[in-house]
Amino acid sequence: QVQLAESGGGSVQVGGSLTLSCVVTSELPFSSLTFGWFRQAPGKEREGVADISKGGGVDRYSHSVRGRFTISRDNAKNMVSLQMTTLKPEDTAIYYCAAGRQFGSTVGRASDFAFWGQGTQVTVSS
């Protein structure tokens, strides 16, 4: 029903920047979906880092990335992005784009999202 394809991951040095993109193919109207970015590092639980409302008017961030990451959506291009700046080694993880039908009460709740991409690796080295 909804397919998500992430790209833009890679290796970067501490303090560097990356922008992840998520191309959305959907039978549902793009504007009816909320989106989030999650990440999972080896041996750690999945962490929600950012999400954005259907209209894009509200974006929320986890404490660990607030002020460094920016989520955005382009309703004309069916695309969601995550701009990451001032990257740290602890940002190393596989990053996943996710889509849902409702904007949950708090950022980072995986159960709010029914559709998931395959992930893209981000590695931050010192």
Side-chain angles (χ1 to χ4, degrees):
Q1 205 172 23
V2 179
Q3 290 82 45
L4 307 167
E6 304 97 335
S7 63
S11 297
V12 64
Q13 292 189 327
V14 169
S17 301
L18 279 175
T19 296
L20 306 182
S21 297
C22 176
V23 175
V24 181
T25 304
S26 175
E27 298 176 354
L28 303 171
F30 184 83
S31 59
S32 72
L33 299 170
T34 62
F35 293 96
W37 285 95
F38 291 74
R39 66 186 182 186
Q40 188 164 21
K44 294 188 177 181
E45 293 185 355
R46 182 173 49 187
E47 174 192 11
V49 297
D51 60 17
I52 190 165
S53 60
K54 295 178 183 180
V58 180
D59 53 332
R60 303 179 301 193
Y61 303 89
S62 68
H63 177 75
S64 60
V65 308
R66 190 174 298 122
R68 299 188 298 121
F69 290 12
T70 303
I71 187 172
S72 61
R73 61 187 293 160
D74 188 331
N75 285 3
K77 296 182 178 180
N78 284 20
M79 183 179 295
V80 183
S81 298
L82 184 69
Q83 183 179 9
M84 307 184 294
T85 64
T86 320
L87 285 162
K88 305 175 181 180
E90 51 264 42
D91 295 319
T92 295
I94 299 174
Y95 282 73
Y96 299 90
C97 178
R101 299 300 305 275
Q102 296 181 353
F103 197 52
S105 60
T106 183
V107 64
R109 192 166 65 182
S111 59
D112 290 330
F113 299 92
F115 309 101
W116 295 79
Q118 294 298 308
T120 185
Q121 176 72 46
V122 172
T123 302
V124 184
S125 57
S126 57

